[in-house]
Amino acid sequence: MPEEGLREWVLQYCVPYSHDAVAEGVMLAEKNTTRGRLLGLLSPGAVCRCVFALLMAVCSLGLSAEESPSKVRLLLHPELQNQEISQAKLRAIMSLRIRRWEDGTPVRIFVLQDASPLHTQFCKELMGTFPYVLRRTWDEALFAGTGLIPETVSDVVEMRRRVQETPGALGYDHRPALDVESAAEQADIASQMSKELMP
Amino acid sequence: MIRIQHGSLGALCGGFLLLWPLSAAAWPELDVHGSLGQGYVHSDGLEVFSGSEEGSARLNEVAVNVRSLVADRVLVSGQVLSRRAGDRSEGKLRLDYLQADYSQLLTDSLGLGLRAGRVKNPFGLYNSSRDVVFSRPGITTPKAVYFDDSTVRDLLFASDGAQLYGQILGARFVQDLVIGASDGSSLEDDLEESFGDFGALGRLQVSNFRLAQWMIQDISGQGFKGGLSYLGAKLSFEPTPSETPTFPATTLDSRIYVGSLQYRAASDVLTFEYRMNDQETTAFGQSESTRSEGAYVQWERLFSARLKTLMRYEWSVADRNDRSGRRASERSGQPRYTRFEKDWVLGINYLPDRHWGAFAELHLVDGTAQTQNSGQGEAERYWEVLYLMLAYRF
């Protein structure tokens, strides 16, 4: 998830640096003469930080504009909350190469229809692939008898319910937007962060 | 009628029933799926599947499959299939596969598995799921590689035997390997269905059936996928002893090699496959070797998850050393175009929802080397065929 990594990087480094740069400028302006102010503002460190901050801000705006408000997150059955799922493992599961979890529970995959925007987002963001590639893999396994194929559900509500009540289940839904989430949702996201994919 | 005649299948069914109680006290969960397709054929210049000027609806296919995890890491699956394609394939219900599949990830990057029973033959990109329209590029599979309208097709379906497979997951690529062997008995059934019952004429045997496949692809599933496939078998016909045997004792040693390459982008899929078939025929104590070949290049354009167009060019020759067919024509008096086939294919697939699919395909063809004429008249060199199909999956 390069976008996810970049976004967190921006939040961590860009915002404090932009504040630092402005604060440094104000401090220099208060302390020094006009010449001092100019020199202070044009000091290599301050210039670099300002340019860096501007670049990062542009990147951040670009990301915000491209992404839909709610992003996709992985859902696991409650008994699988301690599972660590890397992108490689998720790919192996979705391409039907892994059929059981470590404790022996069969993997049960739930997906939305191929044309669903959230399914497309799941394929692109978490899998790094296209929906049709997964569908072809599943169809081949289905009609050659070489794998247990994912079950298609009608909407996100059904997805959440089926994942919640099916042992060994894996699915996905929208992640609540960061700026509107309640305290309960914050806690939910915090618990989900442990299951975020690591590239 | 499902024919389960052979020892290996009986053993498989017995093993299946024995394994069942190991899995759980309850009856294991069954996953049932299937597909039904009804087609229409209209051809001009050569009669395909009885689809002459009036057109024909004698093209349909039905497949129903079931699978279940019956014990730890053992997947059992089976499929019955009926395919009617003009007069050649009468649409008998047959057991397509019935297999037990054990797989185990040995490490994070290495997995091994074993399939046994009646198993589908992995061959090229499309062979193992070629009988269902939803899992092939369009209504037809490229016959330059998959012999879609030839008796050799029957050798490719499935075989009673075992396959050992492995997967190597690297940081960037994943590789899949399969090797398999069979006693060939299921193939004899398929061939008899195509040729007709030999009855008193003699006995057809298939032996030395071997296959191997290596595939490599980008681990994400997009980008490049490529591989090599091999399939070999020996067919022997032994006539019933009589004073005037109709056919001589004949053996046919066939080895097929396929190279596959595919590139998968966001909205386009480009595919190239090449097939070479070495065949050695022995009759009356004399042997004759021929090497045929075929290839196709295909461009699929995906406008959305529902709509796809297809453009394909196929090319095949009956003898690699006589690609124009001139020498064969001089020898036999048959027209040269019976020794090659060049086929332009235009297709469109529309999937309005997850159950239904509507398919159309137009072929503009030069030559008849790969296609059987089901009509009475002589086939023309240039001919066209239009296929339409409506299909439902569940």
Side-chain angles (χ1 to χ4, degrees), chain A residues 88 91-92 97-102 104 106-108 113-115 127-130 132-133 135-137 139-149 151-154, chain B residues 29 33 65 67 69 71-73 75 77 79 97 99 101 103 105 115 128-129 132 134-135 165 167 174 176 217 219-222 264-266 268-269 300 302 354 393:
Chain A
R91 282 171 169 165
R97 297 173 192 278
I98 294 178
R99 293 177 189 159
R100 286 183 182 266
W101 300 105
E102 281 78 359
V107 176
R108 296 287 304 272
Q113 290 197 38
D114 291 2
M127 299 277 298
T129 192
F130 312 116
Y132 79 85
V133 173
R135 177 54 60 191
R136 288 182 182 199
T137 303
D139 280 350
E140 189 183 332
L142 172 63
F143 292 108
T146 53
L148 278 174
I149 62 152
E151 190 172 333
T152 304
V153 294
S154 54
Chain B
E29 194 172 340
H33 294 275
N65 59 59
R67 74 209 59 222
L69 271 170
D72 193 24
R73 302 180 201 285
L75 175 74
S77 57
Q79 176 165 282
Y97 60 81
Q99 60 192 11
D101 184 338
S103 77
L105 267 184
R115 286 182 203 113
S128 55
S129 55
V132 175
F134 290 102
S135 57
Y165 64 94
Q167 50 192 254
V174 55
D176 290 286
Q217 60 181 309
I219 199 157
S220 67
Q222 58 173 301
R264 296 172 290 196
D268 302 275
V269 184
E300 294 166 86
L302 308 144
R354 64 174 144 147
R393 62 187 291 172

Side-chain angles (χ1 to χ4, degrees), chain A residues 37 58 76 133 189:
Chain A
R37 281 177 215 153
V58 168
L76 292 173
V133 173
I189 287 170

